[in-house]
Amino acid sequence: MNREITTTPFGRRPMSHAMLEAQAAARDCPATLVADKWKLFRMITEARPALGVSDRSLAVLHALMSFHKPGELDSESNLVVFPSNRELSMRAHGMAPVTLRRHLAALVEAGLIIRRDSPNGKRYVRRDQEGDVKTAFGFDLTPLVARAGELEQLAAAIRAEELARRLLRERISLHRRDIAKMIIFAEEQELDGPWSAISERFIPLARPLLRGFDRAGLDALAAALDDLRLDVEKLLEIHVNYTKSNASDVQNERHIQNQNPESSFELEPGFRKDQGANTEADWNDDSEAESSDRGDGGLADHPIHSRNKLPPKAFPLGLILKACPDIVDYALRGIEGWPDLVQTANLVRVTLGISPDAWNQAVETFGANEAAIVVAAILQKGEAITSPGGYLRSLTDKARAGSFSAGPLLMGLLKANQKQHEARAG
């Protein structure tokens, strides 16, 4: 084979810069290069985004490489394969001839193969009297060997980029979870601080799904969450230091009082009697007040009992996750049961800017499970709902009047998701 000769395509197919560059690389390829063809194909598959070829084009390349019988591509040997269109189509899983030609052209333009066309455009081989290949017309795989080092670097760079993106997504998910829980804690404990402003900063950082972000977008989002988390932790640190200071003052005061044993002896009998009675009454009052104020009955950490008005069989959990798949991205350890859904919804309502009062009223009206379903549906609707908190309050008021249930809302989302799936498949 004369690799030093520049060839042009048969018929009306034009010459291109990619063809010239590929043939120049083949001419300059050292005669000592050897590459395992399937390891090389794996590197090409990893480097596919940088090469600009589709997965179906790689299926055609895989079929072409299978016609080269040795397991290695040796730059000293003849690397031209000359399958018929029928055989090539069969090894490309029955690909149509028109589609096959399109992907062959894509591989040529990507500089992965060279088209060595005969005078009449047919693919064949001429051998000498000893049976050795004298001339072959078909597709030359030499560029794969010549670019083996470059392809390995491209594959390594893409692996490193993918790892960096994966680490960024993990970092963002952890920030979102931790910040949401810290905001919930601050709201429940009614801590001093600009928590409304913190929530407003958090909402736009928590709502977008990460699938559509490029590396720059992930970097920017992670940096913004870093700054917000630092501010939240500073506020909580102030609260912790203040609590420790008060506890220290109380201990000092008790220590001073205990220095007077006579006073302590006189007060102890009456103190025990009165304090025992008050403790039980205060405990009952505080428990009822706390349950009423929080409205979630400890939903983030405990199973649902009395507030769980919705029977689990009313809406299968699988149906809910099919209608509202976006909420799964916010789950801490997946959603395997109703408590997981309620816990995740309680986190999501912070990201949506839904106030504790709106959430508590929804739980009181719907029950915890159905309130979680409604929050999941609001999240799924995305930008279509400009005020998630107001929307939840409106649905809660309708539910009190008996004019709303979550069923039609779920069915509408299921139909919308099905239409989107059919549109993508078409």
Side-chain angles (χ1 to χ4, degrees):
M1 182 184 64
N2 296 322
R3 286 184 301 200
E4 69 277 3
I5 296 176
T6 300
T7 63
T8 59
F10 172 77
R12 291 181 293 180
R13 287 192 293 267
M15 194 69 179
S16 69
H17 287 288
M19 296 179 188
L20 290 174
E21 291 173 358
Q23 294 187 54
R27 283 195 301 271
D28 297 337
C29 180
T32 57
L33 287 183
V34 179
D36 182 287
K37 67 178 182 181
W38 298 127
K39 288 183 179 179
L40 189 57
F41 181 78
R42 181 179 178 84
M43 288 191 296
I44 295 170
T45 303
E46 290 179 324
R48 182 177 67 83
L51 296 171
V53 293
S54 68
D55 53 350
R56 300 201 70 192
S57 295
L58 290 188
V60 175
L61 179 62
H62 187 279
L64 285 174
M65 294 173 72
S66 70
F67 286 100
H68 182 76
K69 292 183 180 180
E72 295 180 334
L73 299 179
D74 188 344
S75 60
E76 285 188 322
S77 63
N78 190 324
L79 297 181
V80 176
V81 292
F82 37 89
S84 66
N85 285 337
R86 183 176 181 278
E87 286 299 318
L88 184 56
S89 175
M90 291 293 291
R91 293 201 188 184
H93 312 292
M95 189 177 290
V98 175
T99 307
L100 191 64
R101 287 195 292 271
R102 185 171 70 251
H103 291 299
L104 285 169
L107 292 172
V108 171
E109 284 302 307
L112 296 175
I113 61 174
I114 298 172
R115 192 188 294 272
R116 304 281 183 185
D117 287 344
S118 66
N120 62 2
K122 302 294 183 180
R123 301 175 202 135
Y124 57 87
V125 62
R126 293 197 185 280
R127 301 180 185 274
D128 57 20
Q129 293 179 351
E130 287 76 23
D132 295 329
V133 175
K134 189 69 176 177
T135 307
F137 297 101
F139 299 101
D140 191 352
L141 303 179
T142 305
L144 300 179
V145 186
R147 299 180 62 184
E150 174 196 351
L151 294 171
E152 185 176 4
Q153 290 178 357
L154 286 174
I158 288 177
R159 284 196 299 270
E161 176 69 13
E162 182 57 32
L163 176 61
R165 286 167 59 88
R166 188 161 58 249
L167 292 175
L168 276 173
R169 287 193 292 267
E170 289 176 356
R171 177 175 153 201
I172 289 169
S173 297
L174 287 173
H175 279 337
R176 284 176 164 180
R177 181 196 70 187
D178 295 342
I179 292 172
K181 284 205 166 188
M182 287 188 282
I183 291 175
I184 290 173
F185 171 78
E187 290 174 343
E188 291 178 347
Q189 299 298 319
E190 299 181 352
L191 304 185
D192 292 334
W195 294 107
S196 296
I198 292 291
S199 296
E200 290 176 3
R201 286 174 59 190
F202 183 52
I203 291 169
L205 301 178
R207 293 190 67 175
L209 298 176
L210 302 182
R211 291 190 293 267
F213 275 72
D214 58 11
R215 172 70 181 277
L218 290 173
D219 278 327
L221 182 57
L225 286 168
D226 281 340
D227 293 341
L228 179 58
R229 181 175 186 139
L230 183 62
D231 292 343
V232 171
E233 289 178 344
K234 285 181 178 178
L235 288 172
L236 292 180
E237 186 178 354
I238 293 173
H239 167 70
V240 170
N241 291 337
Y242 178 76
T243 303
K244 287 182 178 179
S245 176
N246 282 353
S248 177
D249 291 344
V250 170
Q251 289 176 356
N252 291 337
E253 183 177 349
R254 288 176 178 172
H255 178 72
I256 293 171
Q257 290 176 348
N258 289 339
Q259 299 305 310
N260 189 344
E262 185 175 337
S263 173
S264 175
F265 177 79
E266 292 175 356
L267 292 176
E268 187 175 357
F271 172 81
R272 286 180 177 176
K273 182 178 179 180
D274 296 340
Q275 189 68 13
N278 291 336
T279 299
E280 183 176 358
D282 292 345
W283 169 257
N284 293 332
D285 292 342
D286 290 344
S287 299
E288 293 177 1
E290 183 180 358
S291 176
S292 174
D293 289 341
R294 289 181 59 182
D296 60 357
L299 294 177
D301 299 307
H302 302 288
I304 306 305
H305 297 292
S306 60
R307 299 179 187 273
N308 186 2
K309 298 179 182 179
L310 177 66
K313 293 183 180 179
F315 298 111
L317 187 59
L319 176 71
I320 295 164
L321 299 182
K322 188 175 181 180
C324 310
D326 288 353
I327 196 169
V328 178
D329 293 333
Y330 294 84
L332 304 183
R333 292 175 298 276
I335 297 178
E336 299 180 356
W338 288 98
D340 294 332
L341 180 66
V342 174
Q343 179 189 37
T344 306
N346 197 15
L347 291 176
V348 165
R349 66 95 183 162
V350 179
T351 69
L352 295 176
I354 296 174
S355 69
D357 181 64
W359 165 254
N360 293 341
Q361 289 187 30
V363 170
E364 291 291 341
T365 304
F366 292 108
N369 289 352
E370 193 168 359
I373 294 173
V374 174
V375 170
I378 293 174
L379 174 69
Q380 192 65 36
K381 283 179 170 289
E383 300 298 330
I385 299 177
T386 56
S387 176
Y391 188 68
L392 179 61
R393 287 184 185 276
S394 174
L395 296 183
T396 302
D397 292 340
K398 290 181 180 180
R400 288 197 190 101
S403 60
F404 173 80
S405 67
L409 186 61
L410 283 177
M411 293 303 105
L413 287 172
L414 274 173
K415 290 180 180 178
N417 292 344
Q418 182 65 27
K419 288 180 180 179
Q420 291 179 0
H421 178 73
E422 292 174 354
R424 287 195 297 268

